[in-house]
Amino acid sequence: MTGLPRPLPPPELMQSMDLQFMPSPELEEWARATFIEHGATLWNEDHDHLNRATLGFVWTTVSNSRGGNMVAGQCESMPPMAMGKWQRARAEQQIADWFDGLPDFLITIDANYATICQDAEFCALIEHELYHAAQERDIYGAPKFTRDGRPKFGIKGHDVEEFVGVVRRYGAGPAAGATQALVDAASRRPEVASVKIAQACGTCRMLRAA
Protein backbone atom coordinates (compact mmCIF):
# COMPACT_ATOMS: atom_id res chain seq x y z
CA MET A 1 0.00 0.00 0.00
CA THR A 2 2.93 2.35 0.67
CA GLY A 3 6.59 2.70 -0.21
CA LEU A 4 7.73 1.85 3.33
CA PRO A 5 6.42 -1.15 5.26
CA ARG A 6 3.70 -0.22 7.73
CA PRO A 7 5.27 0.07 11.20
CA LEU A 8 4.05 -2.26 13.91
CA PRO A 9 4.50 -1.83 17.66
CA PRO A 10 7.81 -3.38 18.76
CA PRO A 11 7.66 -6.77 20.52
CA GLU A 12 9.53 -5.44 23.56
CA LEU A 13 6.66 -3.01 24.18
CA MET A 14 3.89 -5.54 23.59
CA GLN A 15 5.53 -8.19 25.80
CA SER A 16 6.70 -5.92 28.60
CA MET A 17 4.99 -5.77 31.98
CA ASP A 18 6.59 -2.39 32.67
CA LEU A 19 6.79 -0.37 29.44
CA GLN A 20 3.60 1.51 28.63
CA PHE A 21 4.79 4.21 26.24
CA MET A 22 7.52 4.12 23.62
CA PRO A 23 8.60 6.84 21.17
CA SER A 24 8.45 5.71 17.55
CA PRO A 25 10.73 7.52 15.09
CA GLU A 26 9.93 4.81 12.52
CA LEU A 27 6.23 5.73 12.69
CA GLU A 28 7.05 9.38 12.03
CA GLU A 29 9.28 8.37 9.11
CA TRP A 30 6.48 6.22 7.68
CA ALA A 31 3.85 8.95 8.11
CA ARG A 32 6.03 11.49 6.34
CA ALA A 33 6.97 9.10 3.51
CA THR A 34 3.36 8.00 3.11
CA PHE A 35 1.29 11.19 3.48
CA ILE A 36 3.32 14.37 4.05
CA GLU A 37 6.41 14.65 1.86
CA HIS A 38 6.03 15.67 -1.77
CA GLY A 39 6.07 12.48 -3.80
CA ALA A 40 4.80 10.40 -0.87
CA THR A 41 2.99 7.21 -1.80
CA LEU A 42 -0.39 8.51 -0.57
CA TRP A 43 0.59 12.19 -0.60
CA ASN A 44 -2.07 14.56 0.72
CA GLU A 45 -1.54 18.25 0.06
CA ASP A 46 -3.71 19.06 3.10
CA HIS A 47 -0.72 18.05 5.26
CA ASP A 48 1.83 20.19 3.39
CA HIS A 49 2.33 22.54 6.37
CA LEU A 50 3.62 19.56 8.37
CA ASN A 51 6.78 19.55 6.27
CA ARG A 52 7.76 22.47 8.51
CA ALA A 53 6.51 20.90 11.74
CA THR A 54 8.24 18.59 14.20
CA LEU A 55 6.18 15.51 15.01
CA GLY A 56 6.61 13.06 17.85
CA PHE A 57 4.88 9.68 17.56
CA VAL A 58 4.40 7.42 20.58
CA TRP A 59 3.06 3.88 20.90
CA THR A 60 1.10 3.05 24.05
CA THR A 61 -0.28 -0.17 25.53
CA VAL A 62 -2.46 1.75 27.99
CA SER A 63 -6.12 1.22 27.14
CA ASN A 64 -8.14 4.42 26.93
CA SER A 65 -11.80 5.23 26.31
CA ARG A 66 -14.14 8.20 26.40
CA GLY A 67 -17.90 8.16 26.26
CA GLY A 68 -17.89 4.39 26.00
CA ASN A 69 -15.69 4.41 22.89
CA MET A 70 -12.14 3.11 22.58
CA VAL A 71 -9.49 5.76 21.97
CA ALA A 72 -7.09 4.54 19.27
CA GLY A 73 -5.19 7.77 18.66
CA GLN A 74 -4.70 11.27 19.96
CA CYS A 75 -2.94 14.41 18.72
CA GLU A 76 -1.76 17.09 21.16
CA SER A 77 -0.04 20.41 20.58
CA MET A 78 3.10 21.03 22.58
CA PRO A 79 3.89 22.14 25.22
CA PRO A 80 1.19 20.35 27.23
CA MET A 81 -1.19 22.81 28.84
CA ALA A 82 -4.04 21.29 30.88
CA MET A 83 -2.09 20.35 34.00
CA GLY A 84 -0.40 21.86 37.04
CA LYS A 85 3.00 23.52 36.88
CA TRP A 86 4.99 20.55 38.17
CA GLN A 87 2.96 18.07 36.13
CA ARG A 88 3.57 20.12 33.03
CA ALA A 89 7.30 20.47 33.70
CA ARG A 90 7.59 16.72 34.33
CA ALA A 91 5.69 15.93 31.13
CA GLU A 92 7.79 18.37 29.10
CA GLN A 93 11.01 16.81 30.42
CA GLN A 94 9.85 13.29 29.53
CA ILE A 95 8.75 14.26 26.02
CA ALA A 96 11.89 16.31 25.38
CA ASP A 97 14.02 13.34 26.47
CA TRP A 98 12.18 11.14 23.97
CA PHE A 99 12.58 13.49 21.01
CA ASP A 100 15.61 15.67 21.82
CA GLY A 101 13.31 18.62 22.38
CA LEU A 102 9.59 19.30 22.37
CA PRO A 103 7.91 18.54 19.02
CA ASP A 104 5.18 20.80 17.67
CA PHE A 105 2.72 17.92 17.96
CA LEU A 106 2.66 14.68 19.95
CA ILE A 107 0.64 11.85 18.36
CA THR A 108 -0.10 8.81 20.52
CA ILE A 109 -1.28 5.57 18.92
CA ASP A 110 -2.83 2.58 20.69
CA ALA A 111 -0.41 -0.28 20.04
CA ASN A 112 -3.05 -2.95 20.68
CA TYR A 113 -5.34 -1.46 18.02
CA ALA A 114 -2.43 -1.09 15.59
CA THR A 115 -1.66 -4.81 15.77
CA ILE A 116 -5.16 -5.89 14.69
CA CYS A 117 -6.49 -3.18 12.37
CA GLN A 118 -6.37 -3.36 8.58
CA ASP A 119 -4.00 -1.20 6.53
CA ALA A 120 -6.76 1.17 5.41
CA GLU A 121 -7.98 1.62 9.00
CA PHE A 122 -4.44 2.33 10.17
CA CYS A 123 -3.88 4.86 7.39
CA ALA A 124 -7.18 6.56 8.19
CA LEU A 125 -6.26 6.78 11.88
CA ILE A 126 -2.87 8.34 11.18
CA GLU A 127 -4.31 10.80 8.67
CA HIS A 128 -7.11 11.70 11.07
CA GLU A 129 -4.55 12.63 13.72
CA LEU A 130 -2.49 14.54 11.14
CA TYR A 131 -5.58 16.59 10.26
CA HIS A 132 -5.79 17.66 13.91
CA ALA A 133 -2.19 18.93 13.58
CA ALA A 134 -3.15 22.10 11.76
CA GLN A 135 -1.77 25.47 10.79
CA GLU A 136 -3.85 28.22 12.36
CA ARG A 137 -5.88 30.56 10.13
CA ASP A 138 -6.86 34.22 10.49
CA ILE A 139 -10.43 35.53 10.19
CA TYR A 140 -10.06 35.62 6.41
CA GLY A 141 -8.92 32.01 6.18
CA ALA A 142 -5.28 32.85 5.43
CA PRO A 143 -2.61 30.72 7.15
CA LYS A 144 -0.91 32.28 10.17
CA PHE A 145 2.86 32.49 10.65
CA THR A 146 5.09 33.30 13.60
CA ARG A 147 7.46 36.27 13.61
CA ASP A 148 10.30 34.05 12.42
CA GLY A 149 8.26 32.89 9.43
CA ARG A 150 7.31 29.43 10.68
CA PRO A 151 3.71 28.25 10.43
CA LYS A 152 1.70 28.92 13.58
CA PHE A 153 0.43 25.53 14.64
CA GLY A 154 -2.64 24.52 16.62
CA ILE A 155 -5.18 21.75 17.09
CA LYS A 156 -8.03 21.71 14.57
CA GLY A 157 -11.48 20.25 15.18
CA HIS A 158 -13.57 18.47 12.58
CA ASP A 159 -15.08 20.21 9.58
CA VAL A 160 -18.42 18.72 10.73
CA GLU A 161 -18.44 15.28 12.36
CA GLU A 162 -15.30 14.21 10.53
CA PHE A 163 -12.59 15.85 8.46
CA VAL A 164 -13.68 16.35 4.86
CA GLY A 165 -10.25 15.12 3.75
CA VAL A 166 -10.64 11.83 5.64
CA VAL A 167 -14.09 11.27 4.10
CA ARG A 168 -12.72 12.11 0.65
CA ARG A 169 -9.94 9.58 0.99
CA TYR A 170 -11.51 6.81 3.09
CA GLY A 171 -15.29 7.28 2.87
CA ALA A 172 -17.90 8.58 5.28
CA GLY A 173 -18.93 5.44 7.09
CA PRO A 174 -22.50 5.20 8.43
CA ALA A 175 -23.08 8.96 8.83
CA ALA A 176 -22.08 11.54 6.24
CA GLY A 177 -22.44 14.82 8.06
CA ALA A 178 -24.19 18.07 7.26
CA THR A 179 -22.13 20.33 5.02
CA GLN A 180 -22.15 20.29 1.25
CA ALA A 181 -18.39 19.76 1.18
CA LEU A 182 -18.73 16.64 3.27
CA VAL A 183 -21.69 15.39 1.23
CA ASP A 184 -19.76 15.99 -1.98
CA ALA A 185 -16.78 14.10 -0.58
CA ALA A 186 -19.00 11.25 0.60
CA SER A 187 -20.79 10.96 -2.76
CA ARG A 188 -17.58 10.17 -4.57
CA ARG A 189 -15.70 6.91 -4.40
CA PRO A 190 -13.11 7.03 -1.57
CA GLU A 191 -9.60 7.85 -2.78
CA VAL A 192 -8.03 5.22 -0.56
CA ALA A 193 -10.59 3.02 1.23
CA SER A 194 -13.90 3.14 3.09
CA VAL A 195 -13.41 3.33 6.86
CA LYS A 196 -14.56 5.48 9.77
CA ILE A 197 -12.15 6.45 12.54
CA ALA A 198 -13.45 9.62 14.25
CA GLN A 199 -15.11 7.74 17.10
CA ALA A 200 -11.72 6.25 18.06
CA CYS A 201 -9.87 9.57 18.31
CA GLY A 202 -9.05 10.94 21.75
CA THR A 203 -8.41 14.45 20.40
CA CYS A 204 -11.98 14.63 19.05
CA ARG A 205 -13.44 13.63 22.38
CA MET A 206 -11.40 16.25 24.23
CA LEU A 207 -12.56 18.94 21.79
CA ARG A 208 -16.20 17.94 22.24
CA ALA A 209 -15.82 18.12 26.02
CA ALA A 210 -14.17 21.55 25.88
Side-chain angles (χ1 to χ4, degrees), residues 17-28:
M17 299 296 292
D18 300 315
L19 289 173
Q20 295 182 310
F21 294 89
M22 181 177 289
S24 179
E26 68 278 5
L27 187 49
E28 180 193 2

Side-chain angles (χ1 to χ4, degrees), residues 30 45 122 134 142 154 158 162:
W30 179 84
E45 63 180 332
F122 187 73
H158 292 158
E162 175 57 279

Side-chain angles (χ1 to χ4, degrees), residues 82-127:
M83 54 183 66
K85 188 172 183 179
W86 282 356
Q87 292 172 306
R88 177 177 173 177
R90 185 174 65 237
E92 287 184 17
Q93 178 178 321
Q94 175 66 78
I95 295 167
D97 286 346
W98 280 341
F99 301 108
D100 294 323
L102 284 180
D104 293 308
F105 296 100
L106 180 70
I107 297 176
T108 305
I109 300 297
D110 186 308
N112 296 300
Y113 174 81
T115 61
I116 62 172
C117 67
Q118 300 298 313
D119 285 347
E121 293 170 326
F122 187 73
C123 286
L125 173 63
I126 299 301
E127 279 216 78

Side-chain angles (χ1 to χ4, degrees), residues 128-151:
H128 185 105
E129 302 310 327
L130 292 177
Y131 268 109
H132 279 302
Q135 182 174 0
E136 293 186 2
R137 303 268 172 173
D138 63 22
I139 59 174
Y140 304 105
K144 289 184 177 182
F145 294 88
T146 63
R147 290 184 178 180
D148 60 2
R150 294 187 73 239

Side-chain angles (χ1 to χ4, degrees), residues 1 14 28 33 42 73 92-93 99 123 140 156 163 172-173 184 196 203-205:
M1 191 172 195
M14 303 304 294
E28 180 193 2
L42 298 177
E92 287 184 17
Q93 178 178 321
F99 301 108
C123 286
Y140 304 105
K156 177 186 177 183
F163 292 110
D184 289 345
K196 189 180 183 196
T203 310
C204 300
R205 305 207 165 273

